[in-house]
């Protein structure tokens, strides 16, 4: 099925360029997925896609899909119990939709929200608006369904070829939502999951991300323990993951970034306390966020333990993006680590093949790895699992980082063979989760 | 390969019967696995297995496999930070082995131990004993490998047909352990995992059980939340589990019992603090045990919420074993729940098809489900996922529990159709993780 699509966003500087790009037949944000370029070009040629600031389009829509950010602001790094959350902007955006749509429109909420939001926050806005406008609220079709999209080269396919969860405020809303999803999702291979309530569907989203956040935090605890016991936790986890009941156990790493895992447990907690008036907190889930937010400090402590004073040391950080082969710096763990190094007076150089400019910090980043060879490096920290780093040989690393004395692998990037070669070249190798790397190859009992 | 096996245990009352049974060609503990009867009978007929109290046998052994319990005693239910752990009995058992074995013996430790135990506790005992006896410590082959055996009808197969993790204190110990495991494990389909150190192998065991414990505790938090939000968490988790990254997410339940998940995180924590002198605790792992130990209190609170005063109410608990289709009452969650009901003056009846006598409480348990029909039942609590309960129809339940007014499904035992029928018979249905069960079938938005 082909839809005529109108993309609507708020009038601000960033969106200006997004809307421009979309109207020129290009994805609004750069994508490593070639298919994204293709579908935008296609839509441009077929003239069935336009982008605008104007909210006028709502009145003409059969279907309105809402993907507005609902943010949480933590006051301090490492204390996710102290956060600020408000519906303010979200509610006014919903009101704009409610005040403009016609009867018989299907509204699909895709934003990640505190569970209960569709029933307790969104529906009342539509109810009031429809009443004021003399429309029949029974002709509103309101549904909730979240994205499980994967950033990176399979972006588009991850929308089409994956299981979709949805619900609606009544039977008709569910039916209309179902028909909509069947029109573009490969439901033959990935059947839809219809849940009983929109609250259940909202909960599925924050639960699946909290599950992930919690499992990452759990392994951090064991990473620190394993290091004290000189155990390489990667080989331990490899031996555990073969069990079907233990396949999701996470690996040690540098930290957690991005938009979802860093905040979704807080949205759940907000709902728990404010929409359902529960005492207490979702303690394990929030504790997990606390551990994850401070994870880069562990990498930093390993470095301090080995090197001591960092003042005036030349530190090269390889990887700004929070995820390998993706150009996304939102809440990247590199941020805290960079901050720690700078505060101690280190001279920090940044590299990332995909991030030329670090938006949040307003910093230029080197993208050409070869040009690093002209600089001084005392310490190199591999932070992001970019393919470019994963495929480097010991010789590559030696030529790119001349004179480097300490290499810290924070994210399981350098394999044992390469590490051994670098070590035999007199470089001190440290690795998060690697135990005491230099003694790995000995049979030390 | 056939071994001549001598089983050795301490001389006490319980072991008397185990040794008797083994020497009569029967498994020392009753097993629901027919193969266990078969192999013991076989060994009896071939005369290559005997059991004894005598430690004399150690001196003749080529291989000594050690499976001595290493227990943790919690002082209070729900506060696993306050526990007692001692190596005392374990060390004296190891010393008995060390004082009796010959040179060139392979010793395989299979007990779950605080990581570091083989290197820091067990090896020194052998070292001292060998020195005293004038033996060459280089002719000791010491290895560590843990069991991943599954209780129940596939007991024997779960030893043979599953991945085995092992290590040894040196290269020779690893080689001998490898040869031993290859002699009885199906390593073609389930390759061995040799880890660098015995500490790594010890850590694998407590980590995999802590992982499980933590994931159960995590879901308990969301079970309580979902109930407040009237969400059926089972349908939510069903929608999440299809993601390969989320397959291990656990279901709501009654509690955690058995010998491993209730204590292994504490063994890890003991090692962390005492063998590696770390400050702090393995917080997430211990918190998980705290949550799990108190899980049955949640079922109890649901019941209280619905029924109010339990004094003089007739409560029937279906399931004493901690696991379905297994007769094992160690640390069963039924214990805490039973205790709560008794303290409030309820009249509690117990049923379990596999447990005729509840060892830890010294109580007789009804095994014949039909005989329940003769008793009075106000409230029935389904606690254990025994096949007998899972396959009961609404009519079965009505005839077995005449006059019952409230049925609480604590462990996802009664399916929605059966629950609906029971509900339409005027029975109040409550279920852990079911949201508000009676409203499930409505499209309540």
């Amino acid at each position: 099925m082909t839809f005529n699509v109108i993309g609507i966003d708020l009038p601000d500087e960033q969106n200006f360029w997004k809307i421009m790009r979309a109207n020129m037949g290009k994805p609004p944000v750069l994508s490593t997925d070639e298919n994204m370029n293709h579908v935008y070009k296609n839509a441009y040629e077929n003239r069935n896609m336009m982008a605008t600031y104007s909210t006028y389009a709502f009145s003409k829509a059969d279907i309105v899909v809402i993907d507005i950010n609902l943010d949480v602001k933590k006051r301090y790094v490492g204390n996710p119990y102290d956060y600020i959350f408000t519906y303010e902007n979200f509610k006014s955006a919903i009101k704009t939709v409610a005040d403009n749509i016609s009867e018989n429109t299907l509204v699909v909420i895709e934003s990640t929200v505190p569970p209960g939001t569709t029933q307790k926050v969104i529906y009342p806005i539509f109810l009031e608006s429809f009443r004021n406008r003399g429309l029949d609220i029974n002709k509103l079709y309101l549904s909730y369904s979240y994205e499980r999209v994967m950033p990176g080269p399979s972006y588009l396919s991850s929308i089409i070829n994956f299981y979709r969860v949805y619900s609606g405020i009544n039977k008709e809303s569910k039916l209309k939502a179902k028909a909509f999803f069947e029109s573009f999702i490969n439901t033959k291979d990935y059947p839809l999951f219809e849940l009983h309530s929109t609250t259940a569907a909202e909960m599925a989203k924050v639960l699946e991300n909290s599950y992930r956040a919690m499992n990452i935090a759990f392994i951090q605890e064991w990473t620190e323990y394993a290091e004290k016991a000189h155990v390489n936790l990667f080989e331990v986890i490899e031996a555990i993951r073969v069990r079907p009941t233990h396949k999701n156990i996470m690996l040690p790493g540098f930290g957690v970034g991005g938009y979802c895992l860093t905040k979704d447990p807080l949205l759940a907690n907000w709902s728990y306390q404010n929409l359902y008036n529960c005492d207490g907190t979702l303690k394990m889930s929030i504790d997990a966020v606390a551990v994850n937010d401070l994870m880069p400090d562990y990498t930093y402590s390993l470095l301090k333990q080995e090197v001591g004073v960092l003042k005036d040391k030349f530190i090269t950080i390889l990887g700004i993006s929070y995820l390998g082969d993706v150009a996304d710096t939102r809440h990247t763990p590199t941020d805290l680590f960079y901050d720690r190094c700078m505060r101690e007076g280190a001279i920090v150089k940044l590299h990332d093949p995909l991030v030329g400019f670090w938006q949040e910090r307003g910093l230029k980043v080197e993208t050409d790895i070869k040009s690093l060879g002209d600089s001084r490096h005392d310490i190199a920290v591999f932070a992001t699992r970019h393919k470019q780093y994963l495929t480097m040989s010991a010789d590559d690393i030696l030529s790119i980082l001349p004179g480097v004395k300490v290499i810290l692998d924070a994210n399981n990037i350098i394999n044992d063979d390469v590490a051994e070669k670098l070590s035999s070249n007199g470089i001190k190798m440290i690795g998060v989760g690697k135990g005491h790397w230099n003694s790995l190859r000995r049979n030390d009992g």
Side-chain angles (χ1 to χ4, degrees), chain A residues 85-112:
Chain A
F85 172 78
T86 167
Y87 276 118
E88 207 174 322
N89 295 336
F90 185 80
K91 274 165 121 171
S92 86
I94 296 290
K95 190 169 182 316
T96 305
V97 176
D99 286 346
N100 286 284
I101 61 167
S102 312
E103 285 178 345
N104 297 315
T105 303
L106 169 66
V107 177
V108 182
I109 313 287
E110 290 201 327
S111 311
T112 304

Side-chain angles (χ1 to χ4, degrees), chain A residues 60-78:
Chain A
K60 300 291 177 201
D62 299 309
I63 300 166
V64 176
V65 181
I66 299 182
D67 286 274
I68 307 157
N69 283 4
L70 200 46
D71 289 338
V72 175
K73 192 174 152 46
K74 296 171 198 163
R75 280 183 222 255
Y76 309 102
V77 175

Side-chain angles (χ1 to χ4, degrees), chain A residues 250-271:
Chain A
M250 305 294 290
L251 293 172
F254 182 46
V256 176
Y259 183 63
C260 297
L261 271 52
T262 50
K263 72 157 194 356
D264 287 1
L266 308 188
L267 292 179
N269 190 60
W270 194 89
S271 150

